[in-house]
Amino acid sequence: MSEDIKIYNGDEHDDSSDMSAVIEVMKEHRANGNIDKAKALGKELSSIDINIKKLLSPKFMKSDIIYQIKVLVVFAAELNLQMLISAPMLSTTAINSMYDAIQKKSEGFYSNISDGVAFSFYYACVRKGGDIAENIGQTFAMLCSAQDNESFIEAGKTVYEEALRIVTDKINAANFSLI
C-alpha cells in the first residue's frame, strides 16, 4: 500500500492571497485617482521638451544626434518613473501610457527605441553605479559615434540631467495620493 505523504518545506505560497492584495491596491489607486494621474503623466512625458537649442551648441542640431537625444530623454523618463514612483503599479501605468502616446505620434521612432540597443547600454550605465550621469554621457557619445569626445559626453550628461529634472518636477506635480 502506497501512501502519499506531503512534507511542508515552507516554500508553499498562496497565490490567491497575493492576487487579492494586488486587486485591492489597484482598487485603491483607481478610487483615489492615482491610475488616471499616472496615465496623464505618461502621456505628458511622451512629448517632453528639454529645449535642446538652449542647452546645447548648434553642432548638436543634426538629425542623427537629435534622434539620440530623443532616445536618451525617453530613457531618462522611464528610469525616473521607475525610481521615483514607489508604487510599481503606478510607474508601470505611467510608462505604458508614455509608450502608447509615443507609438501613436511616431510608430517609426517607437519601433526603433523598442527594438534598439540604446536602452540596454543606458541601463548598463545605471547598474554600473558610480557617476551615472558621467556614464550616461559616455554612452551617449558612443551612440553618436563620438566616443571619448568630451563635448559629446558633456552634452549627454546635460541632456540626461535636464530630462531627470523635468521628469522629477512632473512626477511631483502629479501629486499622487499615498495609500
Side-chain angles (χ1 to χ4, degrees), residues 44-109:
E44 185 179 3
L45 291 176
S46 73
S47 56
I48 188 172
D49 180 15
I50 64 162
N51 197 357
I52 59 173
K53 289 182 180 179
K54 183 179 175 184
L55 286 177
L56 304 176
S57 76
K59 80 177 189 177
F60 295 101
M61 301 305 134
K62 297 176 184 163
S63 62
D64 57 333
I65 298 170
I66 291 172
Y67 170 80
Q68 290 299 333
I69 290 169
K70 288 179 180 180
V71 170
L72 177 52
V73 168
V74 172
F75 169 78
E78 179 179 314
L79 178 66
N80 222 16
L81 287 167
Q82 291 172 356
M83 291 175 50
L84 293 181
I85 298 176
S86 60
M89 183 180 298
L90 297 180
S91 62
T92 300
T93 299
I95 290 166
N96 289 340
S97 176
M98 179 179 73
Y99 283 122
D100 287 346
I102 289 171
Q103 187 175 23
K104 286 177 185 168
K105 288 180 203 168
S106 177
E107 178 68 37
F109 178 68

Side-chain angles (χ1 to χ4, degrees), residues 94-170:
I95 290 166
N96 289 340
S97 176
M98 179 179 73
Y99 283 122
D100 287 346
I102 289 171
Q103 187 175 23
K104 286 177 185 168
K105 288 180 203 168
S106 177
E107 178 68 37
F109 178 68
Y110 173 79
S111 294
N112 286 340
I113 60 173
S114 63
D115 295 336
V117 298
F119 276 31
S120 296
F121 286 119
Y122 286 131
Y123 272 114
C125 293
V126 173
R127 285 189 296 275
K128 182 178 178 181
D131 187 343
I132 292 172
E134 178 72 21
N135 297 341
I136 294 281
Q138 290 172 355
T139 299
F140 174 79
M142 180 209 47
L143 292 169
C144 291
S145 300
Q147 194 164 350
D148 299 325
N149 182 314
E150 282 303 318
S151 66
F152 275 81
I153 293 169
E154 195 57 40
K157 284 173 54 175
T158 299
V159 167
Y160 175 72
E161 289 169 344
E162 180 66 7
L164 288 182
R165 185 193 64 74
I166 291 169
V167 173
T168 300
D169 289 349
K170 291 189 181 296

